[in-house]
Amino acid sequence: MKSARAKTPRKPIVKKGSQTNLKDPVGVYCRVRPLGFPDQECCIEVINNTTVQLHTPEGYRLNRNGDYKETQYSFKQVFGTHTTQKELFDVVANPLVDDLIHGKNGLLFTYGVTGSGKTHTMTGSPGEGGLLPRCLDMIFNSIGSFQAKRYVFKSNDRNSMDIQCEVDALLERQKREAMPNPKTPSSKRQVDPEFADMITVQEFCKAEEVDEDSVYGVFVSYIEIYNNYIYDLLEEVPFDPIKPKPPQSKLLREDKNHNMYVAGCTEVEVKSTEEAFEVFWRGQKKRRIANTHLNRESSRSHSVFNIKLVQAPLDADGDNVLQEKEQITISQLSLVDLAGSERTNRTRAEGNRLREAGNINQSLMTLRTCMDVLRENQMYGTNKMVPYRDSKLTHLFKNYFDGEGKVRMIVCVNPKAEDYEENLQVMRFAEVTQEVEVARPVDKAICGLTPGRRYRNQPRGPIGNEPLVTDVVLQSFPPLPSCEILDINDEQTLPRLIEALEKRHHLRQMMIDEFNKQSNAFKALLQEFDNAVLSKENHMQGKLNEKEKMISGQKLEIERLEKKNKTLEYKIEILEKTTTIYEEDKRNLQQELETQNQKLQRQFSDKRRLEARLQGMVTETTMKWEKECERRVAAKQLEMQNKLWVKDEKLKQLKAIVTEPKTEKPERPSRERDREKVTQRSVSPSPVPFLFQPDQNAPPIRLRHRRSRSAGDRWVDHKPASNMQTETVMQPHVPHAITVSVANEKALAKCEKYMLTHQELASDGEIETKLIKGDIYKTRGGGQSVQFTDIETLKQESPNGSRKRRSSTVAPAQPDGAESEWTDVETRCSVAVEMKAGSQLGPGYQHHAQPKRKKP
């Protein structure tokens, strides 16, 4: 079943004088049906007049813990198997009927599983009427002498009543009586023996304090809710044997007071209990029932019998009804016989029966959901929407739960063991329903007229001071003489009696003549009055014909508007469905657009990060190649300078060889011998002390370390384990350095500078030490990188190099020669190689000292 469209319900309007702060809980009663067989297993036990206890049957007894499971449920009152219909009516329905007569609404419905006695409780059986006939009997016992004439009240299609004067009501009565098949039942007809025993109530019941200055009218209607569609059981459908017309479903509408009603529902005015029950029985025959595995006559629909009581005050004279529509009070009592909840595996339903069971269970589930939401809103202060519109049953009676009348529920249970699980669910629902509170109905307003108007202008009865007409007539006759005859010869008594009778006869004859004269005069007056009434009737008939034509035109217009309204409603429904589809597509497209925007933003962010990264790489590569180019240019310059210097040295040596006298070439001592006699090898000073003034008596030079120019930063001093210790005077030393043999990330993270000591063998066989320096940078990935900035080279050379030198010990002492040898050593030692601090030339070298010229 497709659920109805859920809409936000309109907020109920608080009426003036409403007692919104006073609430009463829903009255829930329990009635236990007798077992079908005395030896049948029972699962429900009545503990007291308010409590029942459920026993687990043999087939269900063991629960998780292996114990017997017994549950007790409390109600406002529990009626056992021996409770009569009268006792149930006095407790449950009597207060609702009393409120109905005093202008308040009421709702009474029976709830339970299939075959639990709901229909019997509501309708009754022959010889024992149920709640419905007893309610009707109490209503008519209370207002019987105060009922308005038929058709004084006239229902309309807006859930309200119109009021007519007695003349219009009389004309409509005559018109209806002239119809061949009157819809309204007549009280003169004989009661149908089929239900005569049901409406025969032995106990007289009447409401107290009925307003005698008002007139009343009773209207009844009977509908059923079948497969979530509403059908009018009192609607007269013309019979067509060729093409029978199926019954049309009715729509729910909301009146000006925001009360729900069934549009186009037939409302019949009734004047007695027999008429009302005859209307009910006519609709009951149309109600859908079927034979199931659990119940021979199972109700397949929810039935609602509405009793509407219309009350209007009399005018100030107490003779006629006050012709003011605003003074009409309408109260309603709804008697609901719910279809029983059932499980299809037990009823063995198939086809239509299965679909009916599904719709029944769905509507009852919606009723339970509404009760749960109402209870949650009242207990926890929430404001959840109650899903009344999910079912026609709850939507029709939502006004009662919003505070438009009292609500009573009779839970009917069958104590047999087979219904244990269904009864358990029914008990839980009843427990929830008892916690729902409904606002008290509003008291009706007082019209403001003087009470006691009905009997104030009526003539007094025989109990009053004025005698009756018959007494006056009898007193005018002469008295009769004594009629007692004591003697057989008495001849006076009879003549006197005859004379008195003749006088009475004469007087009577005179009175008859006078009466005939007066009657003839009255007949003449009556004839004149009849003629006047006839003329008025003709005049009214003309007006009535005009009104009928007008009404016919209005009915045609109403039918046209109703058709147009249905067409527009269908179009609106289609448009709402289309709007829903478009809104869903719009939401999907918006989500897709947001996803694409987020994707584009991520791509744009990635692109910016990639551009920044590429820009950094380009800048880094550019700086690297610039440094490399500068290093190569500096290296090339240094190489050319070195070559130039070598050429200059060769030229100088060649010049010295050419200019010095030819002497005997001394033998060159071997390298081993030079090493043994280092001190006698040459008369020239050592290269290192040459930087100072040569002095034979100078103190020995203290070995000191060379201080780095970047001693302010922390350094990583990387000295591989394969390096050899040199005995040079100048040693590299950096204070506060972390000395490692293998570079690691931990040491690099603590420092800003990096120095690698690298040793290699030069071309002349000496060890050459290079100090490769660099800066430590943190990378984007969280690591460290080293960018090399410059290189310092430390080289140790032997004085006896590969160049040819003249030894001062062998050569003869010549002034020019000694100076020439000194010049040779001085020339070699005066050339120093130094790296500029902070230079970006890589392994670039510059010599900043020129060979010293000979002193003249």
Side-chain angles (χ1 to χ4, degrees), residues 577-633:
K577 291 180 180 178
T578 308
T579 304
T580 304
I581 295 172
Y582 284 162
E583 287 179 352
E584 185 68 23
D585 294 340
K586 181 181 176 181
R587 285 195 295 269
N588 294 334
L589 291 175
Q590 285 180 349
Q591 292 178 359
E592 186 177 354
L593 181 60
E594 291 177 358
T595 305
Q596 293 295 335
N597 287 335
Q598 293 176 0
K599 185 177 180 181
L600 288 175
Q601 289 179 0
R602 287 196 299 269
Q603 291 179 355
F604 182 69
S605 178
D606 295 341
K607 182 180 179 181
R608 284 187 297 180
R609 286 198 298 269
L610 183 60
E611 288 178 354
R613 183 178 177 185
L614 291 176
Q615 188 67 27
M617 292 176 64
V618 168
T619 305
E620 184 178 354
T621 307
T622 305
M623 292 176 61
K624 180 178 178 182
W625 281 107
E626 286 178 357
K627 292 178 182 180
E628 181 66 21
C629 291
E630 291 176 359
R631 184 189 65 78
R632 291 184 181 181
V633 170

Side-chain angles (χ1 to χ4, degrees), residues 412-689:
C412 299
V413 293
N414 193 340
K416 64 179 181 179
E418 290 80 1
D419 290 346
Y420 171 75
E421 290 188 356
E422 288 82 354
N423 288 331
L424 190 63
Q425 298 298 326
V426 170
M427 293 296 179
R428 291 173 180 172
F429 171 66
E431 191 175 28
V432 172
T433 306
Q434 289 183 101
E435 299 178 0
V436 177
E437 294 182 347
V438 179
R440 289 185 182 178
V442 183
D443 294 332
K444 69 173 183 177
I446 301 175
C447 64
L449 297 176
T450 305
R453 303 184 299 277
R454 180 183 291 272
Y455 298 112
R456 185 176 59 188
N457 298 327
Q458 290 184 359
R460 298 178 183 177
I463 305 176
N465 297 326
E466 298 180 2
L468 295 177
V469 178
T470 55
D471 296 337
V472 176
V473 173
L474 291 176
Q475 289 177 4
S476 62
F477 288 163
L480 293 175
S482 178
C483 300
E484 184 177 4
I485 299 176
L486 301 176
D487 190 0
I488 193 172
N489 298 320
D490 188 0
E491 297 179 356
Q492 297 179 355
T493 302
L494 290 177
R496 286 197 299 270
L497 180 61
I498 293 171
E499 183 180 2
L501 290 176
E502 287 178 351
K503 290 181 179 180
R504 286 203 171 199
H505 177 71
H506 180 68
L507 183 61
R508 180 176 177 273
Q509 191 65 34
M510 293 176 59
M511 292 180 67
I512 290 174
D513 295 339
E514 182 68 21
F515 176 76
N516 290 332
K517 292 179 181 179
Q518 292 182 0
S519 64
N520 291 330
F522 180 74
K523 284 181 180 179
L525 293 175
L526 186 61
Q527 187 67 31
E528 293 178 0
F529 179 74
D530 287 339
N531 295 331
V533 169
L534 185 60
S535 62
K536 287 184 179 180
E537 285 183 356
N538 294 331
H539 179 69
M540 295 301 295
Q541 187 67 31
K543 288 187 176 181
L544 183 62
N545 294 332
E546 293 178 359
K547 289 185 178 180
E548 285 181 351
K549 291 180 181 179
M550 186 184 301
I551 291 172
S552 300
Q554 290 179 353
K555 284 184 177 180
L556 293 176
E557 182 68 17
I558 289 172
E559 290 178 358
R560 186 184 65 83
L561 292 177
E562 285 182 350
K563 291 180 180 178
K564 185 177 179 181
N565 188 22
K566 289 182 180 179
T567 306
L568 292 176
E569 286 180 351
Y570 179 70
K571 290 182 179 179
I572 289 172
E573 186 176 358
I574 294 176
L575 289 176
E576 286 179 350
K577 291 180 180 178
T578 308
T579 304
T580 304
I581 295 172
Y582 284 162
E583 287 179 352
E584 185 68 23
D585 294 340
K586 181 181 176 181
R587 285 195 295 269
N588 294 334
L589 291 175
Q590 285 180 349
Q591 292 178 359
E592 186 177 354
L593 181 60
E594 291 177 358
T595 305
Q596 293 295 335
N597 287 335
Q598 293 176 0
K599 185 177 180 181
L600 288 175
Q601 289 179 0
R602 287 196 299 269
Q603 291 179 355
F604 182 69
S605 178
D606 295 341
K607 182 180 179 181
R608 284 187 297 180
R609 286 198 298 269
L610 183 60
E611 288 178 354
R613 183 178 177 185
L614 291 176
Q615 188 67 27
M617 292 176 64
V618 168
T619 305
E620 184 178 354
T621 307
T622 305
M623 292 176 61
K624 180 178 178 182
W625 281 107
E626 286 178 357
K627 292 178 182 180
E628 181 66 21
C629 291
E630 291 176 359
R631 184 189 65 78
R632 291 184 181 181
V633 170
K636 199 66 176 177
Q637 290 177 355
L638 182 60
E639 183 180 357
M640 298 304 293
Q641 289 176 1
N642 289 336
K643 288 182 179 180
L644 185 60
W645 178 78
V646 171
K647 288 182 180 180
D648 290 342
E649 285 295 316
K650 288 182 179 180
L651 289 175
K652 287 179 183 180
Q653 291 178 7
L654 183 59
K655 182 179 180 182
I657 293 172
V658 172
T659 56
E660 71 178 3
K662 294 182 180 180
T663 56
E664 211 173 278
K665 188 176 181 180
E667 291 184 3
R668 181 173 178 172
S670 62
R671 242 176 134 76
E672 289 80 6
R673 197 167 36 185
D674 291 341
R675 289 175 182 171
E676 293 174 2
K677 301 177 180 180
V678 176
T679 57
Q680 300 177 2
R681 181 173 56 180
S682 175
V683 295
S684 43
S686 60
V688 176

Side-chain angles (χ1 to χ4, degrees), residues 103-356:
K104 299 178 183 179
N105 298 331
L107 171 64
L108 174 62
F109 59 96
T110 56
Y111 182 84
V113 300
T114 298
S116 58
K118 300 183 298 299
T119 305
H120 172 75
T121 300
M122 189 63 68
T123 307
S125 58
E128 191 176 10
L131 298 181
L132 191 147
R134 292 178 183 273
C135 290
L136 294 172
D137 188 68
M138 179 177 176
I139 292 171
F140 289 107
N141 288 340
S142 303
I143 65 170
S145 58
F146 307 132
Q147 290 191 70
K149 294 182 179 180
R150 201 183 296 271
Y151 304 119
V152 170
F153 298 111
K154 188 176 181 181
S155 63
N156 54 33
D157 294 334
R158 297 180 299 276
N159 198 30
S160 60
M161 287 289 171
D162 298 328
I163 189 168
Q164 300 184 121
C165 63
E166 292 191 3
V167 176
D168 293 337
L170 176 62
L171 293 177
E172 189 163 354
R173 283 198 301 274
Q174 292 176 355
K175 180 181 176 181
R176 295 295 179 93
E177 289 174 359
M179 294 176 63
N181 294 320
K183 294 183 180 180
T184 304
S186 175
S187 58
K188 298 178 181 179
R189 294 172 57 184
Q190 188 177 1
V191 180
D192 190 348
E194 187 177 3
F195 58 84
D197 293 340
M198 292 186 183
I199 61 176
T200 302
V201 180
Q202 301 296 333
E203 303 84 0
F204 182 81
C205 187
K206 180 181 178 181
E208 300 294 335
E209 299 180 359
V210 180
D211 187 5
E212 297 178 348
D213 295 324
S214 299
V215 292
Y216 299 87
V218 181
F219 293 81
V220 295
S221 61
Y222 197 18
I223 64 171
E224 71 170 351
I225 303 175
Y226 176 72
N227 288 340
N228 207 30
Y229 289 97
I230 300 176
Y231 296 97
D232 185 6
L233 295 177
L234 302 181
E235 185 178 18
E236 296 292 339
V237 180
F239 178 71
D240 189 356
I242 300 175
K243 188 178 180 181
K245 186 177 180 181
Q248 297 295 322
S249 61
K250 303 297 181 180
L251 298 177
L252 284 178
R253 299 203 182 276
E254 193 175 41
D255 61 9
K256 63 181 181 180
N257 296 323
H258 309 294
N259 295 323
M260 304 305 301
Y261 71 98
V262 180
C265 180
T266 304
E267 291 184 341
V268 181
E269 184 178 10
V270 292
K271 294 297 179 181
S272 64
T273 305
E274 292 77 11
E275 289 184 38
F277 203 82
E278 181 183 355
V279 173
F280 166 76
W281 199 254
R282 190 173 73 225
Q284 186 74 0
K285 291 180 180 179
K286 296 181 182 180
R287 190 182 177 189
R288 292 174 173 84
I289 59 175
N291 184 10
T292 64
H293 186 69
L294 298 181
N295 192 356
R296 186 171 58 87
E297 293 183 356
S298 175
S299 301
R300 312 310 297 166
S301 63
H302 308 299
S303 67
V304 181
F305 187 76
N306 289 318
I307 305 173
K308 186 177 291 186
L309 182 66
V310 186
Q311 178 181 354
L314 295 173
D315 56 9
D317 297 332
D319 297 331
N320 299 315
V321 183
L322 188 64
Q323 297 291 318
E324 293 183 8
K325 188 175 180 181
E326 294 77 11
Q327 296 295 333
I328 297 177
T329 302
I330 301 176
S331 55
Q332 180 174 295
L333 175 61
S334 298
L335 303 176
V336 185
D337 182 13
L338 296 177
S341 60
E342 57 187 32
R343 290 189 299 170
T344 55
N345 59 351
R346 293 191 61 206
T347 58
R348 301 176 185 176
E350 296 178 355
N352 291 333
R353 301 289 87 79
L354 182 62
R355 186 164 63 92
E356 292 166 357

Side-chain angles (χ1 to χ4, degrees), residues 761-775:
L761 193 63
S763 59
D764 57 355
E766 296 295 338
I767 297 176
E768 184 180 65
T769 303
K770 291 184 179 181
L771 304 179
I772 306 172
K773 298 188 293 181
D775 296 331

